[in-house]
Every structure is written in structure tokens, then in C-alpha cells.
């Protein structure tokens, strides 16, 4: 009889408002009961009591405290509220592994919720991915998800002309470089040029083959100029790649190389 148990535990709490064992029992009984009336209020009171425990009291009741925090997902329908409670529990219990696992699952649920929105909030999505990967750095699924989110976000920013924010993201998340290269070929020319500039700023020396091939495949002179500028300023290896391309330039494209090395000559439109 869970309702009777809840009443009994509440009576114990009336006698001793700091009785963690009684709060734990009441929370557990509420979790199993059909009638949840008053559960959220009692749970909030339990959290307040737990957070006010001194070090000695916490050490003596740590397993009960952990269980109370782990009940958050049974109390709240809101994943963000659940995450807020679990984050506090993770801190209070000195990084308990069970709370960590529950927090990872909750973050995954929040990411799923955000992605279902017709107009996703990319900043919130990235923040949640970052939090999850801070806890679980080896989570390749979320790492891949973050790359997809970044690719969509950066593409939208570049299409809207906000190259500054795009560059800030690319600088922060340098692992996005292979995704930028992958998405390059299907973009309009202006976005292609912005991607080239962003890759040039990263200077990882991992994109030289891409830049070489992109120049060969480019039909647009503005894009070709952007690639040559990127290579020329990229690194010593970038300069060598620039020289390789210049050696095979014809009379038609040679002016692009001259302009890159000496920007004041032949002001091209």
C-alpha cells in the first residue's frame, strides 16, 4: 500500500524535517504509486534537505541521496528540469557514475527533443552536445551528431552572410574541417569561397589535397582566386602547392597567380 507508506513517511518528516531516510522512503513510494499528487512538491523539499547536509551527514546518507537524485526522471516530464537536478546531484555526490549515466541519457533525450523542432536552436543543440561529450568523450554517435549540427548551422550562417559567426564556430570546433570539405561541392559559389577562407584560417595542413583539387575543378574565377589566396597564405606546404599549380598554369590563368602574389597589380573584377 504505497499511499499508506507515503503518509507514514510524511509523518516521520513532520517529526524530523531533515530525515533523509524518510524522504528517500517517501520518494520511492511515490515513484511506485499510481497517485502522484504532491510528489513534485515533496521531491523539491527532499532536494532542499539534501543540499543543506553537511559533509558528515552527506557521507552517512550518500546512497540514499544518490537514489533521490536518480528519481528525477520519474518526477519531471521535462528533460531539461531532470538534467538540472541530475547536474546538481552529480556535483553533490562527487561525480557518482550512476548519476553520470543517467545524465548522459537525459542529455541525449534533450538533443532528440531539440532536433525535432522545425527551426532548431543550433546554439542550444551545440551546448547540449558539448555537455554530453564532457561527460562521455568517447560517445561517437553524439560526436557525429555534433558535426552534422555544425555543418547545418555553418551552412545557414554562410548563406545568410554571417561569416564571422561561422568562422568563430569553425575555430572552436576544428574537427569540423572534414565535414566542410565534404559539403563544399554542393554549395553556391559564395558559400564555397567562405568555406575556403575558413579552411585556410585553420591551417591544419590537412586540406592541401582538397584545395589543389578544388582549384582544378573550379569554373568560377572568384572561387579560383579564393583558393589561390588561401594556399599562398596557408603554410610552407601551401606555398609549395601554390607553386605546383602555377607551373601548370596557362596564359589565361597565369594572371590569377600574379595577382595573388602581387595584389596591387591587375585589379580584377
Amino acid at each position: 500500500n504505497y499511499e499508506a507508506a507515503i503518509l507514514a513517511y510524511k509523518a516521520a518528516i513532520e517529526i524530523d524535517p531533515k530525515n533523509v531516510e524518510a524522504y528517500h522512503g517517501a520518494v520511492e513510494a511515490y515513484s511506485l504509486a499510481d497517485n502522484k499528487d504532491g510528489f513534485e512538491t515533496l521531491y523539491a523539499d527532499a532536494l532542499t534537505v539534501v543540499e543543506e547536509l553537511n559533509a558528515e551527514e552527506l557521507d552517512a546518507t550518500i546512497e540514499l541521496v544518490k537514489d533521490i537524485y536518480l528519481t528525477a526522471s520519474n518526477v519531471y516530464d521535462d528533460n531539461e528540469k531532470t538534467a538540472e537536478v541530475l547536474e546538481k546531484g552529480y556535483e553533490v555526490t562527487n561525480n557518482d557514475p550512476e548519476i553520470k549515466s543517467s545524465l548522459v541519457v537525459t542529455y541525449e533525450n534533450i538533443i532528440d527533443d531539440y532536433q525535432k523542432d522545425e527551426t532548431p536552436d543550433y546554439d542550444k543543440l551545440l551546448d547540449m552536445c558539448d555537455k554530453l561529450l564532457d561527460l562521455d568523450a568517447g560517445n561517437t554517435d553524439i560526436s557525429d551528431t555534433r558535426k552534422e549540427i555544425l555543418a547545418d548551422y555553418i551552412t545557414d550562417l554562410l548563406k545568410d552572410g554571417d561569416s564571422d559567426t561561422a568562422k568563430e564556430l569553425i575555430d572552436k570546433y576544428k574537427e569540423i574541417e572534414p565535414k566542410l570539405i565534404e559539403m563544399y561541392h554542393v554549395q553556391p559559389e559564395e558559400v564555397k569561397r567562405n568555406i575556403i577562407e575558413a579552411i585556410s584560417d585553420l591551417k591544419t595542413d590537412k586540406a592541401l589535397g582538397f584545395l589543389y583539387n578544388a582549384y582544378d575543378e573550379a569554373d568560377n574565377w572568384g572561387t579560383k582566386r579564393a583558393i589561390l589566396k588561401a594556399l599562398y597564405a596557408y603554410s610552407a606546404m601551401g606555398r609549395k602547392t601554390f607553386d605546383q599549380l602555377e607551373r601548370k598554369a596557362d596564359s589565361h590563368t597565369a594572371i590569377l597567380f600574379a595577382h595573388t602574389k602581387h595584389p596591387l597589380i591587375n585589379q580584377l573584377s
Side-chain angles (χ1 to χ4, degrees):
N1 189 331
Y2 299 120
E3 291 186 5
I6 290 167
L7 291 174
Y9 285 124
K10 282 185 173 180
I13 291 167
E14 285 288 334
I15 296 169
D16 179 7
K18 289 190 174 183
N19 190 330
V20 175
E21 187 173 354
Y23 271 113
H24 176 269
V27 167
E28 189 174 59
Y30 258 123
S31 296
L32 297 169
D34 293 329
N35 186 351
K36 305 293 187 185
D37 290 346
F39 189 11
E40 192 169 327
T41 299
L42 179 133
Y43 189 72
D45 292 341
L47 294 178
T48 299
V49 168
V50 163
E51 289 167 16
E52 292 177 351
L53 295 174
N54 61 39
E56 185 178 346
E57 292 168 334
L58 179 61
D59 187 58
T61 59
I62 191 63
E63 289 301 317
L64 300 178
V65 168
K66 180 182 76 174
D67 286 348
I68 288 171
Y69 279 112
L70 285 170
T71 309
S73 60
N74 294 332
V75 182
Y76 305 112
D77 294 328
D78 183 350
N79 283 315
E80 292 187 59
K81 179 62 178 176
T82 298
E84 181 183 327
V85 172
L86 289 171
E87 285 169 353
K88 184 64 178 179
Y90 191 55
E91 176 188 339
V92 168
T93 61
N94 195 25
N95 304 346
D96 177 82
E98 287 186 59
I99 293 181
K100 174 183 174 179
S101 295
S102 184
L103 191 51
V104 166
V105 171
T106 304
Y107 285 157
E108 288 175 338
N109 291 337
I110 293 172
I111 291 168
D112 287 342
D113 290 343
Y114 285 166
Q115 288 185 301
K116 290 174 185 174
D117 291 344
E118 289 185 10
T119 54
D121 186 323
Y122 290 118
D123 289 317
K124 282 187 176 181
L125 273 166
L126 289 174
D127 180 60
M128 200 53 57
C129 288
D130 290 347
K131 284 185 174 183
L132 197 157
L133 290 169
D134 283 344
L135 290 176
D136 186 12
N139 193 320
T140 55
D141 288 341
I142 294 300
S143 181
D144 290 343
T145 296
R146 184 170 70 177
K147 289 176 186 176
E148 294 293 336
I149 292 165
L150 279 166
D152 290 342
Y153 192 11
I154 289 168
T155 299
D156 285 354
L157 288 169
L158 293 177
K159 285 180 178 177
D160 291 341
D162 189 355
S163 58
D164 289 342
T165 303
K167 287 177 185 176
E168 288 174 9
L169 285 169
I170 293 164
D171 186 58
K172 180 179 179 180
Y173 301 100
K174 291 181 171 59
E175 72 273 15
I176 192 62
E177 184 177 61
K179 195 69 184 176
L180 292 174
I181 292 171
E182 179 186 324
M183 62 190 264
Y184 170 85
H185 297 285
V186 297
Q187 304 303 321
E189 294 302 322
E190 183 62 31
V191 174
K192 282 183 177 180
R193 290 193 284 272
N194 283 323
I195 289 174
I196 292 297
E197 186 176 349
I199 287 174
S200 174
D201 289 342
L202 288 175
K203 291 181 169 58
T204 64
D205 271 344
K206 296 178 181 179
L208 290 173
F210 158 71
L211 292 170
Y212 184 98
N213 292 329
Y215 176 83
D216 271 348
E217 295 166 5
D219 295 323
N220 182 283
W221 269 46
T223 302
K224 280 184 174 293
R225 285 170 57 192
I227 295 168
L228 291 178
K229 180 180 177 183
L231 283 170
Y232 199 72
Y234 192 71
S235 65
M237 289 300 297
R239 190 70 63 88
K240 286 183 179 180
T241 304
F242 177 95
D243 292 341
Q244 289 173 359
L245 288 169
E246 185 175 21
R247 282 195 292 271
K248 68 175 192 175
D250 57 25
S251 58
H252 183 62
T253 57
I255 194 172
L256 292 173
F257 293 86
H259 179 79
T260 302
K261 291 187 290 186
H262 308 287
L264 293 181
I265 66 170
N266 297 320
Q267 295 295 321
L268 302 177
S269 58

